[in-house]
Amino acid sequence: MDYILSNLEQLESEAVFVIREIATQFEKPMLLFSGGKDSMLMLHLAQKAFYPARIPFPIVHVDTGHNFKETIEYRDKMAKKYEVELVVGLVQDSIDAGKVKEETGINSSRNYLQSVTLLETIEKHKFDAALGGGRRDEEKARAKERFFSHRNEFGEWDPKNQRPELWNLFNGRKNYGEHFRVFPISNWTELDVWQYIKKENIELPSLYFVHKKRVFQRDGVWLAESDFNPMKDTEKVVEKDVRFRTIGDITCTGAIESGVSNINDIIAEVAAFRVTERAGRADDKRSDTAMEDRKKEGYF
């Protein structure tokens, strides 16, 4: 009898294998959870990897304090539903301790500051592997990442010094104080993610579906009206039907105009897009190497 896996089944099998490999090679892994679709997909795959046992590591959220309220409500709900320990690193704590300096001005954002809080959280809890929902199709810097991505004792990434990954052999060897970032869904596309979410009936935050929101446009990006988003005198708030392709800090996460309210229409919409999902992220527009620069310093 032929045993043929569909594209989604092959991707699921690969991701589950990598997640189980993490549990085998590392002493204290954790799963980064932002409340977005990719980290939710990771949580769902982790449950599959160890079922019927519970997920054997915590989820970690780096909270900028400038998140959408829907994201925080969803994060807490999913931690309870999947019965996992939730660890929260607060950017505000890093600011109060003088470890980072908050930006000022119209374009200020705490997104960049997350790297320091993440590294402090990793060091505090002695995590030696951080599973993330990064995908190669998102952005050119993420396209360079291996499944197992080494970080030195300062949490830094060297994209020119990565270990070879032959077949399904992953090298998690490290020195004391070093850790790894691991990306089990590297080979997935945005469309794969949505098709799998439909197949598995995975619950997502309401922000992904069309809703009315007061927004203003800056540099081609629709940003949400918020106390955390100071506006220029020339900018004007309008109410629009929007949804989000990515979910992150409210100061840099752009919405898209859309009319789709169900997952079938979202899949059709994603299939027709001709720009990447991170085209709506203001933090990636700061320079051509914005993501890679952040990642070198310890970003997700």
Side-chain angles (χ1 to χ4, degrees):
M1 184 174 73
D2 292 335
Y3 182 65
I4 301 174
L5 297 179
S6 68
N7 175 56
L8 289 182
E9 289 170 337
Q10 289 185 35
L11 291 170
E12 177 193 70
S13 177
E14 179 181 68
V16 166
F17 176 83
V18 174
I19 292 170
R20 287 173 176 164
E21 193 72 6
I22 289 298
T24 301
Q25 292 200 33
F26 295 91
E27 295 179 0
K28 196 168 183 183
M30 59 87 155
L31 193 158
L32 290 164
F33 190 82
S34 67
K37 66 183 187 309
D38 299 312
S39 58
M40 184 56 230
L41 176 65
M42 285 287 300
L43 182 59
H44 185 80
L45 289 167
Q47 185 187 53
K48 281 203 166 191
F50 303 107
Y51 185 83
R54 290 185 180 180
I55 298 170
F57 41 73
I59 60 174
V60 174
H61 181 220
V62 179
D63 187 349
T64 66
H66 292 172
N67 294 290
F68 294 94
K69 65 178 178 58
E70 294 93 336
T71 303
I72 301 302
E73 293 170 356
Y74 176 79
R75 176 199 71 186
D76 295 343
K77 181 180 179 181
M78 291 302 107
K80 186 175 182 180
K81 178 179 178 179
Y82 283 77
E83 298 180 304
V84 290
E85 178 189 358
L86 171 63
V87 175
V88 179
L90 297 172
V91 171
Q92 185 63 53
D93 287 349
S94 301
I95 296 172
D96 293 343
K99 302 287 183 61
V100 293
K101 184 177 181 181
E102 188 154 22
E103 292 183 332
T104 59
I106 291 295
N107 294 304
S108 61
S109 173
R110 288 185 171 183
N111 192 56
Y112 185 76
L113 309 182
Q114 293 183 79
S115 302
V116 173
T117 306
L118 171 60
L119 294 176
E120 287 181 338
T121 305
I122 289 173
E123 183 176 5
K124 176 181 178 181
H125 293 272
K126 305 299 181 188
F127 293 126
D128 57 357
L131 290 87
R135 309 187 324 267
R136 293 190 174 112
D137 78 322
E138 285 184 82
E139 202 275 343
K140 55 184 179 293
R142 287 190 165 163
K144 297 179 181 178
E145 288 276 20
R146 303 291 170 89
F147 280 95
F148 277 31
S149 188
H150 176 261
R151 296 296 190 272
N152 67 18
E153 60 185 316
F154 303 106
E156 298 168 329
W157 175 55
D158 182 358
K160 294 182 179 179
N161 185 25
Q162 300 193 76
R163 296 173 180 178
E165 293 182 338
L166 304 176
W167 302 285
N168 59 355
L169 301 176
F170 304 108
N171 184 352
R173 187 174 182 179
K174 63 186 183 311
N175 294 317
Y176 181 76
E178 299 175 345
H179 71 276
F180 274 75
R181 306 292 170 83
V182 185
F183 304 98
I185 62 170
S186 284
N187 288 334
W188 296 55
T189 66
E190 183 185 13
L191 188 60
D192 293 329
V193 171
W194 278 106
Q195 289 175 331
Y196 189 79
I197 287 169
K198 176 188 175 183
K199 175 176 175 290
E200 298 290 310
N201 193 28
I202 299 173
E203 182 180 350
L204 289 181
S206 58
L207 292 166
Y208 279 112
F209 302 92
V210 67
H211 56 283
K212 291 193 180 297
K213 186 171 286 294
R214 289 172 60 82
V215 294
F216 64 97
Q217 194 169 58
R218 178 179 299 165
D219 300 329
V221 177
W222 287 108
L223 294 172
E225 180 188 34
S226 163
D227 292 340
F228 307 126
N229 276 332
M231 296 174 57
K232 302 175 183 176
D233 293 338
T234 54
E235 293 171 337
K236 181 181 178 182
V237 172
V238 294
E239 185 174 80
K240 284 188 170 290
D241 290 327
V242 299
R243 72 176 192 86
F244 292 84
R245 290 178 73 182
T246 66
I247 292 179
D249 190 274
I250 199 171
T251 59
C252 60
T253 304
I256 59 169
E257 294 183 75
S258 176
V260 300
S261 58
N262 64 72
I263 197 161
N264 288 324
D265 290 343
I266 287 178
I267 289 172
E269 186 178 70
V270 169
F273 280 138
R274 290 297 176 265
V275 294
T276 67
E277 64 185 290
R278 291 195 69 92
R281 293 292 294 259
D283 48 337
D284 288 351
K285 295 180 181 294
R286 293 194 172 198
S287 76
D288 288 342
T289 59
M291 171 65 87
E292 183 160 329
D293 292 342
R294 294 200 303 273
K295 286 177 72 66
K296 286 178 179 176
E297 297 178 4
Y299 192 73
F300 311 119

